[in-house]
């Protein structure tokens, strides 16, 4: 029983990270209608930007996080401006492939700047809190707490701001949004800003939980896409539910099968959910 | 007199073949103009062309004297034109209230305009927190018109506003359109219920194969037997 709860705790932590990446994948798909394969590497970039802030300014991780989010958001906007924008009217497969190219560009840039080896934010071990025999690391508390705060802020943005509503409207129907007076290019810029910022948070959290290396978040691209798809692609709230589901089931599966099979577990969840409810677990509103 | 909307010799379409073949149309002020014509004549395409959603290859479109040919749709809206497409004319995952907020995206509303819209369409107020995707066809059409009116347009383009409606709602909707005109807003509408629409309209135009073949006062068109036989139904 204790083991079971312990695995759920780990599952919530990785679920939070999948959710942060999955939201971005889902929102980018909703607005721009393509699968952003560079999302994992964008998260990795965020993790390294935090590392740069931590080593250059001697900041704690929590203070480096907002800097990494801003830096990654700016990079995402710049990448869109320089590359993806040119393919706005192209078929989605063109964007898919160009985003794969961008994934390689980002990864190579990271390797060039920070080298291929491993890094950590802070060395030393932290003492876990023990609660009814469940061990909870302070880092995990921070990861889950920050993720909840970020998701609440994102929810308030989508629900109450003019731009947030425009974003939802555009993902419903881009032409109708334009006809209503929405400057859709401005919405696209904000989509990258939010996708990039959330990606950075996910990357920093994964790096905090493990170690930095240039393949850090490329390795979790599959479960993040599974989270977005399971939740109903284009629906960010679905990606949160999908992320948690996949994170928890993946961790629980390690009780019975090799951890190396985790990606397969994500894949199986995706297939099962899609058979059971083809539009994703969050109910379609149309 | 300068026209509110002037469409001059417009050619254009979706791919290589033109759907519009020299379409001409003028609207001078807050009048109701009805476009009738057979299916596939290019009526919807003409409306999309005004909003830059279909490429105009030759010809030009002016609004209030300004050239808006191939202008981005959001900039067209900014100039005081509103458009309700025939289908997919609401944001299904947004609530009724939020759909109206989208109409106020350009010109922020302090609540007065929304209240006015709910006075014109009282049924919508009852559904304000409900998602637009769950509305009936009639309610959806009202919401679509309400969203368009939130822009405070000088001219409203309506593509077959009664097409998806139960017969008893057709007259009610057309009366709403008369009410909208009385607010000083011009209305250009495509209508299949041509007789009912022409009875309330100022002018009518007949569109065939991408151009306006005939244009007259609405009562004259209603009186012409040849038009009646061809387009107005029994
Ligand atoms: N999105 C589109 N892509 C390509 N062709 C289209 C599209 N929409 C309409 N058409 C074609 O344009 C022609 C005119 O269509 P439309 O303007 O919708 O006619 P109407 O509204 O008068 O019935 C039709 O032949 C139709 O097949
Ligand atoms: Mg049509």
């Amino acid at each position: 029983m204790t083991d079971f709860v312990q695995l759920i705790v780990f599952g919530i932590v990785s679920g939070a990270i999948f959710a942060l990446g999955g939201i971005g994948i889902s929102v980018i798909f909703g607005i721009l209608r393509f699968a952003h394969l560079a999302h994992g590497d964008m998260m990795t970039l965020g993790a390294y930007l935090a590392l740069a802030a931590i080593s250059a300014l001697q900041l704690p991780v929590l203070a480096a996080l907002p800097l990494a989010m801003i830096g990654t958001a700016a990079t995402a906007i710049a990448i869109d401006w320089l590359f993806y924008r040119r393919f706005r009217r192209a078929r989605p497969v063109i964007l898919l492939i160009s985003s794969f190219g961008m994934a390689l560009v980002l990864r190579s840039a990271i390797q060039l700047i920070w080298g291929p080896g491993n890094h950590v934010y802070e060395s030393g071990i932290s003492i876990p809190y023990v609660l009814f025999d469940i061990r909870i690391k302070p880092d995990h508390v921070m990861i889950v707490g920050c993720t909840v705060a970020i998701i609440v802020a994102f929810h308030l943005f989508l629900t109450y701001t003019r731009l947030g509503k425009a974003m939802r409207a555009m993902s419903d129907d881009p032409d109708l949004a334009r006809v209503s007076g929405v400057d859709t290019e401005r919405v696209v810029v904000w989509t990258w800003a939010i996708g990039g910022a959330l990606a950075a948070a996910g990357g920093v959290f994964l790096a905090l939980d493990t170690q930095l290396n240039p393949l850090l978040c490329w390795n979790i691209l599959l479960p993040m896409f599974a989270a977005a798809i399971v939740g109903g692609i284009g629906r960010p709230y679905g990606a949160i539910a999908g992320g948690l589901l996949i994170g928890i089931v993946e961790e629980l599966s390690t009780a019975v099968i090799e951890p190396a099979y985790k990606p397969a577990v994500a894949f199986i969840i995706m297939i099962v959910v899609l058979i059971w409810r083809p539009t994703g677990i969050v109910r379609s509103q149309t | 007199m300068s026209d509110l909307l002037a469409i001059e010799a417009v050619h254009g379409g979706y791919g290589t073949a033109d759907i519009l073949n020299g379409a001409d149309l003028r609207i001078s002020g807050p009048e109701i103009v009805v476009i009738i014509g057979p299916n596939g004549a290019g009526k919807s395409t003409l409306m999309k062309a005004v909003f830059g959603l279909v490429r105009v290859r030759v010809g030009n479109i002016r609004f209030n004297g300004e050239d808006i040919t191939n202008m981005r749709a959001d900039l067209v809206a900014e100039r005081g034109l509103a458009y309700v497409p025939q289908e997919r004319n609401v944001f299904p995952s947004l609530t009724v209230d939020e759909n109206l907020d989208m109409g106020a995206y350009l010109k922020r509303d302090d609540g007065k305009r929304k209240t006015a819209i709910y006075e014109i369409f009282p049924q919508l107020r009852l559904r304000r927190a409900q998602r637009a995707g769950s509305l009936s066809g009639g309610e959806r059409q009202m919401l679509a018109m309400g969203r368009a009116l939130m822009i405070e347009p000088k001219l409203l383009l309506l593509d077959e506003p009664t097409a998806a409606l139960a017969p008893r709602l057709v007259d009610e909707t057309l009366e709403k359109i008369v009410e909208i005109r009385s607010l000083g807003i011009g209305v250009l509408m495509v209508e299949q219920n041509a007789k009912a629409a022409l009875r309330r309209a100022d002018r009518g135009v007949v569109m065939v194969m991408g151009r306006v073949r005939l244009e007259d006062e609405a009562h004259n068109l209603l009186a012409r037997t040849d038009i009646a036989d061809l387009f107005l139904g029994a």
Side-chain angles (χ1 to χ4, degrees):
Chain A
M1 187 59 202
T2 319
D3 283 353
F4 180 77
V5 178
Q6 187 73 63
L7 286 176
I8 287 187
V9 170
F10 292 149
I12 290 171
V13 172
S14 46
I17 294 166
F18 296 162
L20 288 168
I23 289 172
I25 288 170
S26 203
V27 172
I28 290 165
F29 187 90
I31 300 288
L32 292 151
R33 298 286 190 272
F34 79 101
H36 187 227
L37 293 184
H39 212 70
D41 299 275
M42 206 169 251
M43 293 169 77
T44 309
L45 175 72
Y48 276 92
L49 289 179
L51 178 71
I54 288 164
S55 50
L57 307 168
Q58 314 299 324
L59 293 175
V61 177
L62 206 51
L65 177 64
L67 296 180
M69 289 170 79
I70 292 168
T72 310
T75 309
I77 293 169
I79 289 172
D80 178 67
W81 178 257
L82 289 170
F83 300 99
Y84 300 145
R85 186 171 60 98
R86 295 166 203 280
F87 302 115
R88 216 63 104 213
R89 312 221 165 267
R91 281 170 297 139
V93 66
I94 307 278
L95 274 156
L96 182 87
I97 292 167
S98 74
S99 77
F100 182 69
M102 185 48 61
L104 300 179
V105 169
L106 283 173
R107 193 182 314 161
S108 311
I110 289 167
Q111 283 188 0
L112 228 83
I113 300 169
W114 287 284
N118 291 333
H119 294 271
V120 288
Y121 288 145
E122 287 155 343
S123 39
I125 22 169
S126 57
I127 317 287
Y129 311 121
V130 180
L131 218 87
F132 306 112
D133 282 351
I134 312 295
R135 298 151 64 81
I136 300 177
K137 291 206 273 176
D139 283 352
H140 287 173
V141 175
M142 187 188 118
I143 290 170
V144 174
C146 289
T147 303
V148 169
I150 289 168
I151 287 175
V152 168
F154 174 67
H155 166 72
L156 294 176
F157 166 80
L158 276 187
T159 312
Y160 297 110
T161 68
R162 179 166 167 267
L163 205 63
K165 286 178 206 170
M167 219 168 211
R168 287 187 289 138
M170 193 177 160
S171 105
D172 264 7
D173 191 329
D175 273 348
L176 191 61
R178 279 182 203 107
V179 162
S180 305
V182 175
D183 177 352
T184 49
E185 277 302 304
R186 208 169 95 87
V187 174
V188 167
V189 168
W190 279 96
T191 302
W192 285 110
I194 290 166
L198 266 56
V204 170
F205 295 157
L206 186 60
L208 192 61
D209 197 31
T210 59
Q211 284 183 328
L212 286 104
N213 69 75
L215 289 174
L216 181 71
C217 295
W218 168 260
N219 289 331
I220 60 163
L221 195 62
L222 176 70
M224 290 191 303
F225 264 95
I229 291 166
V230 159
I233 187 102
R235 296 201 201 97
Y237 298 113
I240 300 167
L244 282 174
L245 176 73
I246 287 172
I248 291 170
V249 177
E250 265 193 9
E251 288 302 330
L252 289 178
S253 76
T254 60
V256 282
I257 55 175
E258 283 280 311
Y261 289 116
K262 273 189 194 175
V265 171
F267 212 75
I268 290 166
I269 296 170
M270 184 166 81
I271 289 168
V272 169
V273 169
L274 288 182
I275 290 170
W276 166 58
R277 194 178 267 177
T279 54
I281 45 180
V282 169
R283 217 171 261 285
S284 166
Q285 283 121 1
T286 40
Chain B
M1 184 180 70
S2 94
D3 295 304
L4 191 53
L5 179 71
I7 299 172
E8 290 173 345
V10 164
H11 294 255
Y14 302 91
T16 44
D18 284 350
I19 301 293
L20 301 172
N21 296 299
D24 280 292
L25 187 66
R26 278 161 203 285
I27 294 173
S28 52
E31 52 173 349
I32 298 181
V33 177
V34 176
I35 306 178
I36 58 176
N39 265 331
K43 306 182 295 295
S44 299
T45 305
L46 184 65
M47 293 200 157
K48 289 183 210 162
V50 172
F51 263 83
L53 301 174
V54 158
R55 183 141 192 90
V56 174
R57 201 174 48 77
V58 188
N60 74 83
I61 302 174
R62 276 177 293 117
F63 185 67
N64 260 335
E66 185 186 2
D67 190 351
I68 60 162
T69 318
N70 291 324
M71 186 182 272
R72 252 169 45 198
D74 56 306
L75 300 177
V76 174
E78 204 172 3
R79 279 153 180 76
L81 257 163
Y83 168 45
V84 177
Q86 183 181 343
E87 283 160 341
R88 316 213 311 141
N89 51 21
V90 297
F91 299 106
S93 74
L94 271 57
T95 64
V96 167
D97 243 356
E98 289 170 340
N99 266 273
L100 295 183
D101 292 341
M102 288 315 297
Y105 186 82
L106 286 165
K107 261 193 245 167
R108 281 170 217 234
D109 177 33
D110 53 9
K112 284 206 192 83
R113 267 185 282 156
K114 211 190 256 179
T115 307
I117 301 291
Y118 283 138
E119 260 149 41
I120 303 176
F121 304 110
Q123 299 96 309
L124 289 182
R125 195 199 298 271
L126 305 172
R127 306 238 182 278
R128 59 190 305 168
Q130 204 170 312
R131 290 187 195 284
S134 69
L135 299 180
S136 71
E139 290 163 343
R140 241 183 235 232
Q141 190 59 44
M142 284 172 198
L143 178 58
M145 289 204 274
R147 191 222 85 230
L149 289 174
M150 287 292 285
I151 293 182
E152 292 193 309
K154 299 186 189 77
L155 179 64
L156 176 60
L157 271 48
L158 300 173
D159 196 349
E160 303 205 19
T162 68
L165 302 187
R168 65 183 175 81
L169 289 176
V170 171
D171 280 324
E172 189 187 329
T173 305
L174 292 173
E175 285 306 321
K176 294 288 180 202
I177 292 167
V178 173
E179 196 178 330
I180 289 167
R181 192 242 337 245
S182 71
L183 300 171
I185 299 167
V187 177
L188 174 63
M189 61 196 264
V190 175
E191 239 330 314
Q192 294 294 352
N193 289 304
K195 263 188 182 163
L198 283 171
R199 269 191 226 112
R200 294 164 172 98
D202 300 288
R203 285 191 301 130
V205 303
V206 179
M207 205 168 158
V208 182
M209 289 176 73
R211 51 192 308 184
V212 172
R213 276 300 153 82
L214 189 70
E215 174 172 0
D216 208 338
E217 309 265 307
H219 59 88
N220 288 340
L221 287 177
L222 278 167
R224 282 179 60 163
T225 50
D226 53 336
I227 300 292
D229 288 346
L230 276 171
F231 303 113
L232 305 188

